Amino acid sequence: MFAVLKTGGKQYRVQAGDVLRVERIAAQAGEKVQFNEILMLGGDAPVIGAPVVDGAAVQAEVIDQIKADKVIHYVKRRRKHSSQRTKGHRQKLTLVRVTDILASGADKTGVMAAIGTGSVSGFAIEAAAPAKAPKAAKKPAKAAKAEADAPAVEGSKPANLLTEARDGKADDLKKISGVGPKLEGLLNQNGVFHFDQIAAWNTAEIAYMDDQLSFKGRIERDGWIDQAKQFAAEKE
């Protein structure tokens, strides 16, 4: 018994045990797939589809995802343009081995349909579907407090950043050595408005702000922390 199936815009005459190279389908090596577009069944009692044979299918096992031989495409334009181009292409294919030919009952097998990767219903839908994140277990109060008190990880974001200055009034950060109007504006954009904020930065938070503002070690080099502590004390 043989069958004529259609996939990837091409038709194939197959028998059980045949190995085919078809246009890439959405399946991994070792999986079983089912081709449902059967145009003809041959044998002792041939059946011709109109356009397909109802209930018929061809089942196959995916061997591997491969590429065809390279095809060279050469283009040369007419004279006066002086343009030529060579392109290479390797078509993506799937290597499958036919295991069964079903004359009926294909809709009840439960085998995954062989869908081309160029189809919207192939890998695209699976990739676009958001993954369901497992619910995080609620931490005990003691564990949550211990985590909050743990030392900051290198490069962590400062915890005391603000969206706006306290009481609507910001400190004059230009008092710090090397800070001008432009740099003060950048600090404000990053939630820094007061001397006591800078004075409270730890090593990890200094590294974070260095990275955010591309300071390259300027905060420690210019002694910002000590200056900020001094100005914060003078305010009090």
Side-chain angles (χ1 to χ4, degrees), residues 4-229:
V4 177
L5 63 87
K6 180 181 178 183
T7 179
K10 300 179 178 65
Q11 299 175 15
Y12 302 86
R13 182 186 185 279
V14 299
Q15 291 178 294
D18 286 353
V19 175
L20 300 177
R21 299 196 312 169
V22 299
E23 294 289 326
R24 182 161 290 191
I25 56 177
Q28 305 301 320
E31 292 183 338
K32 194 172 184 179
V33 295
Q34 181 169 287
F35 297 93
N36 294 315
E37 286 191 83
I38 308 303
L39 307 179
M40 175 183 176
L41 291 175
D44 296 335
V47 180
I48 298 176
V52 297
V53 180
D54 291 336
V58 171
Q59 295 182 350
E61 179 186 359
V62 177
I63 300 174
D64 198 6
Q65 300 286 7
I66 61 175
K67 287 185 178 181
D69 297 334
K70 181 174 285 188
V71 176
I72 302 298
H73 179 211
Y74 178 77
V75 178
K76 184 174 181 179
R77 293 190 180 181
R78 296 177 59 187
R79 62 182 182 276
K80 295 184 180 180
H81 290 284
S82 185
S83 174
Q84 57 187 18
R85 179 173 57 187
T86 302
K87 296 189 296 182
H89 172 71
R90 294 186 67 189
Q91 183 66 28
K92 295 180 179 180
L93 304 173
T94 300
L95 194 64
V96 299
R97 179 182 292 108
V98 177
T99 56
D100 293 296
I101 297 177
L102 306 179
S104 61
D107 56 337
K108 299 178 182 178
T109 60
V111 178
M112 177 177 62
I115 301 174
T117 54
S119 170
V120 175
S121 55
F123 280 145
I125 288 181
E126 184 178 346
K132 292 183 179 179
K135 290 185 178 179
K138 191 174 181 180
K139 295 181 180 178
K142 288 184 179 179
K145 185 177 184 303
E147 185 175 306
D149 294 340
V153 179
E154 184 68 24
S156 62
K157 185 177 181 180
N160 58 1
L161 297 184
L162 306 173
T163 55
E164 58 183 19
R166 291 192 290 266
D167 300 326
K169 187 175 181 181
D171 293 340
D172 184 7
L173 301 182
K174 295 189 295 296
K175 291 182 178 180
I176 295 177
S177 176
V179 177
K182 183 176 180 180
L183 191 49
E184 184 182 43
L186 290 174
L187 288 168
N188 293 164
Q189 289 176 19
N190 282 272
V192 182
F193 297 92
H194 304 282
F195 294 124
D196 57 355
Q197 288 179 270
I198 300 174
W201 287 348
N202 58 31
T203 304
E205 293 170 342
I206 291 172
Y208 173 84
M209 294 304 295
D210 262 335
D211 180 65
Q212 288 294 304
L213 302 175
S214 300
F215 280 173
K216 300 179 180 179
R218 181 174 181 178
I219 294 174
E220 290 185 326
R221 189 168 59 248
D222 292 351
W224 282 24
I225 305 301
D226 292 336
Q227 293 184 61
K229 288 179 180 178

